[in-house]
Amino acid sequence: MRLLGAMRLVRFRGPGGAEPRLGLEEAAGGNVVDLSVAEPALPRSMRAFLESGQSGLAAAQRWVPLVPAGITLTTARSGPSAETHRPHRALESSQHRLPRERVRLLAPVGDPEKVICVGLNYRDHCLEQNVKIPKEPIIFNKFPSTIIGPFDDIVHPEESSEVDWEVELAAVIGKKGRHIEESSALDHVVGFTVANDVSARDWQMRNGRQWLLGKTFDTFCPLGPALVTKEAVADVHNLRIRCSVNGQLMQDSSTSQLIFRLPKLIAWVSRFVTLVPGDILLTGTPPGVGAFQKPPVFLKRGDEVQCEIEELGTICNKVV
């Protein structure tokens, strides 16, 4: 059953490598509705689309496939007595649908104003390092130039010999705000996606402890496969989160281990900066990163890294 407001928004290139377009996954890993054809007035940038607010989301919602006859839809956050709704429009023509094998998925948001990251935000990751649980969120950032698509290659920089993986839940801001209250913080989130906070540990932990440089080499932030709207996620603070390298499971935890949950993080960050639509918030990584293996293990060219979060999907990137 498809819930009203529950969508898997994507950016993609179609056959022939055309300009990036907005789309809608019919299901995880399924065919793609070309919103740039179905709703030509919509922006083709996800950031601009999110800036359009509820009108843009409503236009995209019209192309969510109708559920089978006899099944009703309610909003994800409504109770048993809530009013029943249906999308405004069925998929009337195959001209708006592209088979999955004919599209190349891009990062759901390719041009954010900010990529904000949180360090040491999983209890089990703190235990892994034998460090105290932070009393306040530890914030750093990556540049937007780190962002690549869910199946694009991670470029191993010549400047580092200690490139590491970090699967992370990423929240995408859909509503502008400053000094946001925790009680209303999730109103500012449009949805979630999977991220890999690729890190050069030799720069992050030594070489002057250059956190920014260690985190922000080009291609160090794979994202995707879709921006899953929050209405499609049962409980964002109770999702299984995993990372495998060359098929070997390295990280396996749950977002229930988050020290600072999303409302706290959004309220905290918005004390210092204005959050705007399209901003991406990486929420930290669970244990199992390469730096704390015994002995340490780091990525090399030819490796394949797969990151997966329950209900959101899987990204898989080769190191070149």
Side-chain angles (χ1 to χ4, degrees), residues 214-233:
K215 295 284 189 174
T216 207
F217 282 97
D218 290 351
T219 75
F220 268 26
C221 190
L223 285 177
L227 196 177
V228 182
T229 57
K230 60 189 176 186
E231 292 82 5
V233 179

Side-chain angles (χ1 to χ4, degrees), residues 8-35 44 46 97-110 147-153 192-194 221-228 307 312-317:
R8 298 181 61 88
L9 296 160
V10 296
R11 288 174 62 247
F12 70 96
R13 293 185 191 275
E19 288 299 309
R21 308 163 83 92
L22 284 184
L24 191 67
E25 271 191 320
E26 292 185 322
N31 295 336
V32 172
V33 179
D34 187 342
L35 287 175
R44 296 195 177 190
M46 186 67 77
R97 304 171 69 192
L98 292 170
R100 183 58 174 265
E101 62 270 16
R102 296 187 63 199
V103 305
R104 176 193 165 202
L105 291 187
L106 307 174
V109 184
I147 293 174
I148 58 173
F151 308 110
D152 292 342
D153 292 338
F192 312 101
T193 193
V194 182
C221 190
L223 285 177
L227 196 177
V228 182
C307 297
L312 303 186
T314 302
I315 63 177
C316 188
N317 307 91

Side-chain angles (χ1 to χ4, degrees), residues 159-176:
E159 294 81 2
S160 175
S161 60
E162 298 183 358
V163 177
D164 206 346
W165 58 85
E166 292 191 11
V167 61
E168 305 209 9
L169 167 73
V172 180
I173 299 299
K175 177 183 174 184
K176 184 177 180 179

